Amino acid sequence: MSLDKILSISGKPGLYELKAQTRNGFVAESLADGKRLSVSIQNNVSILSEIAIYTFTEEVPLREIFKRIQEKENGEKSISHKESKNKLESYFSEILPDYDEDRVYVSDMKKVIQWYNILQAKGITDFNEPEEVASEEE
């Protein structure tokens, strides 16, 4: 499963997998407990593949951050998102040394680490860019 199908829904804890589209929104399934819920198009929803973290030079895609955490932890779980502010900041600066401290908050770091741990626990560990099918011209 790619990050293109994984969602974060504002006001709802955890991550969700996009299952189907409906006329008024879509159906999502919780990665935590497998419960399905109907999500209105009025909800604030973020697709993980579209999220990026600010650095001083560019925006780094979330999949790249996940890859760096995976390499640092040898594919295992990372630290808890409930660690102290100082520990989270030092951990994050190891993963992304040039992140913009003014625009990346501790709450953002907590989400990234929590999301990585959720995906890792579910066995979703392929954070590579999905290969696009090249169209052949004749």
Side-chain angles (χ1 to χ4, degrees):
M1 178 186 334
S2 74
L3 294 183
D4 296 333
K5 299 266 186 199
I6 307 294
L7 312 170
S8 171
I9 303 170
S10 182
K12 307 258 184 233
L15 294 175
Y16 295 83
E17 179 184 357
L18 176 64
K19 286 297 188 180
Q21 273 200 264
T22 63
R23 195 170 34 161
N24 299 329
F26 55 89
V27 175
E29 182 178 292
S30 171
L31 291 180
D33 57 14
K35 290 184 180 176
R36 289 183 178 222
L37 69 136
S38 180
V39 181
S40 164
I41 56 173
Q42 296 170 340
N43 286 71
N44 189 6
V45 176
S46 300
I47 300 170
L48 263 54
S49 63
E50 301 296 318
I51 298 174
I53 301 294
Y54 295 112
T55 66
F56 291 116
T57 55
E58 62 182 341
E59 292 181 18
V60 178
L62 192 57
R63 72 175 69 251
E64 183 62 35
I65 306 294
F66 287 161
K67 273 197 254 185
R68 292 180 186 189
I69 295 173
Q70 189 177 40
E71 288 169 12
K72 177 177 173 33
E73 301 298 338
N74 295 320
E76 298 297 316
K77 221 174 169 183
S78 73
I79 66 170
S80 171
H81 64 282
K82 296 181 180 179
E83 292 288 347
S84 70
K85 176 184 181 220
N86 292 338
K87 194 165 186 178
L88 289 170
E89 286 174 340
S90 71
Y91 184 83
F92 213 77
S93 63
E94 288 177 38
I95 293 161
L96 193 63
D98 61 338
Y99 79 92
D100 188 343
E101 293 97 354
D102 294 332
R103 295 164 67 183
V104 179
Y105 303 108
V106 174
S107 60
D108 299 326
M109 295 175 201
K110 286 182 178 186
K111 282 182 193 172
V112 168
I113 292 169
Q114 181 182 24
W115 290 346
Y116 171 81
N117 286 334
I118 290 170
L119 294 172
Q120 194 275 335
K122 281 298 200 182
I124 304 168
T125 56
D126 181 15
F127 303 121
N128 293 318
E129 192 77 35
E131 294 181 22
E132 293 184 24
V133 178
S135 62
E136 295 181 19
E137 293 181 9
E138 293 185 33

